Amino acid sequence: MSKKTSTYATDKTSQRRLVAGPSGSRPHRPAGVREKPNAANGPACRSRGGVKPRKRSMSGMAEHALASRPGEKQSRHHCCDEPERQINLDSIDEHIIDAAIAQRAADAIGDSQEDPQNAQLEALARHLQECKMEKGIAKACRDWLDAPFCEWNDNLCNHRHRMSKPNATAICVAMADMLSPRDALIMSLVGATNAKVGVEAMLDLAAEPHDPANVIRLYRLLDAAFNDADASPDLERCTCGIDMLADMAAMVCGRFEVQPLTVAAYGSWWVGGDDALDYARQALCLDGQCTLARIICSAIDQGLRPAWRM
């Protein structure tokens, strides 16, 4: 690619190891995750009306916040001498996806690809790509997400649990195309503990995820949320966001469900909700290599929690 902003979080910060180990150790790579992901290798599985994912998720900033040990200060550099506790992703492969569900979903894949709803979503995804080519990535992203993020933020502030379908669909399509909008939603939930995250901050991160100021803002908000034992969340706000995300996932199908389900899993895990594992498993049933969903499953499996819940 050119030096333009990537649609995925692939800058030097986000290319750091998924799980930080002791200094000098070889980077740990989750089982089944290759250096160059190949969409054909993912499980043929879906929830509701889903489709076999076209491509695997690449990691965004949120994965790196979760990969460090909650409750401990994350090092500014991953080359520090102090070892960190690893999240072992290898141990969860066998019990994440139920084989019977996977087989039933595989049998229905052919029919789901012809689903009219999926065709409409794919048309929207193509339109977003056209906007990015015409306006540039940052401008197109801002224009695409301005109204949806305004409604999302207004709902969080006023504790409304459902978004309008056009705005919810627009967010799902954007998250299927690039991970920065997903990280902006996470920031608005998790980062709002210590400071309210407004629409402009969300748009800045979604449109220009590599800008140093946006990277620093996200890192500081997530680091404080996970490592500050006094940073208890606004439970009503978080519940509202999780409900909106689950509702978004119900409005779409296939690959467009993966990220709303993953953010719902993230938020539910963070507040100690009972549905976190279920949301993460649904996301993995659609895309077995969704990195953040895998990390959430592993964190739950190992009993890892944010500092405020320790």
Side-chain angles (χ1 to χ4, degrees), residues 17 36 62 120 131 144 174 179 198 209 247 286 299:
R17 294 191 297 258
K36 297 180 179 179
Q120 292 174 0
C131 290
W144 189 271
L179 293 185
D247 195 54
L286 286 154

Side-chain angles (χ1 to χ4, degrees), residues 235-254:
L235 292 177
E236 191 172 4
R237 177 186 176 96
C238 290
T239 299
C240 175
I242 294 165
D243 288 348
M244 280 195 287
L245 288 158
D247 195 54
M248 281 185 206
M251 292 182 189
V252 296
C253 63

Side-chain angles (χ1 to χ4, degrees), residues 53-94:
R54 291 185 173 184
K55 56 188 177 182
R56 291 180 178 174
S57 301
M58 297 176 68
S59 61
M61 289 291 295
E63 282 87 337
H64 302 284
L66 254 180
S68 62
R69 180 180 179 180
E72 289 186 357
K73 278 289 182 182
Q74 184 179 12
S75 170
R76 183 171 300 176
H77 301 287
H78 283 266
C79 57
C80 64
D81 294 329
E82 183 181 355
E84 297 177 356
R85 180 178 175 181
Q86 290 187 345
I87 296 179
N88 182 8
L89 301 182
D90 293 333
S91 65
I92 63 174
D93 288 357
E94 294 181 359

Side-chain angles (χ1 to χ4, degrees), residues 10 17 21 25 29 34 62 110 116-117 122 127 137 157 193 242 250-251 273 281 287:
T10 54
R17 294 191 297 258
S25 65
R29 186 173 296 277
R34 299 182 177 180
Q117 183 189 19
E122 292 295 350
H127 180 55
I137 293 171
C157 293
T193 297
I242 294 165
M251 292 182 189
R281 282 173 171 168
D287 180 359

Side-chain angles (χ1 to χ4, degrees), residues 134-192:
E134 178 184 345
K135 302 177 181 180
I137 293 171
K139 178 67 165 59
C141 187
R142 283 182 178 275
D143 290 348
W144 189 271
L145 290 169
D146 191 0
F149 276 2
C150 282
E151 183 181 357
W152 164 269
N153 196 64
D154 187 59
N155 284 0
L156 287 180
C157 293
N158 293 286
H159 303 131
R160 290 192 290 266
H161 294 244
R162 182 180 176 86
M163 289 187 67
S164 64
K165 187 168 183 178
N167 283 339
T169 301
I171 290 178
C172 291
V173 168
M175 290 193 294
D177 181 70
M178 45 195 168
L179 293 185
S180 55
R182 181 206 69 182
D183 288 350
L185 293 183
I186 290 174
M187 181 176 70
S188 72
L189 287 178
V190 177

Side-chain angles (χ1 to χ4, degrees), residues 47-50 249-250 252-262 286:
S47 68
R48 295 184 286 276
V252 296
C253 63
R255 69 187 184 97
F256 302 97
E257 291 179 85
V258 175
Q259 296 307 328
L261 287 168
T262 301
L286 286 154

Side-chain angles (χ1 to χ4, degrees), residues 206-219:
E208 300 181 80
H210 302 160
D211 182 87
N214 295 329
V215 172
I216 291 170
R217 179 191 293 119
L218 179 64
Y219 172 80

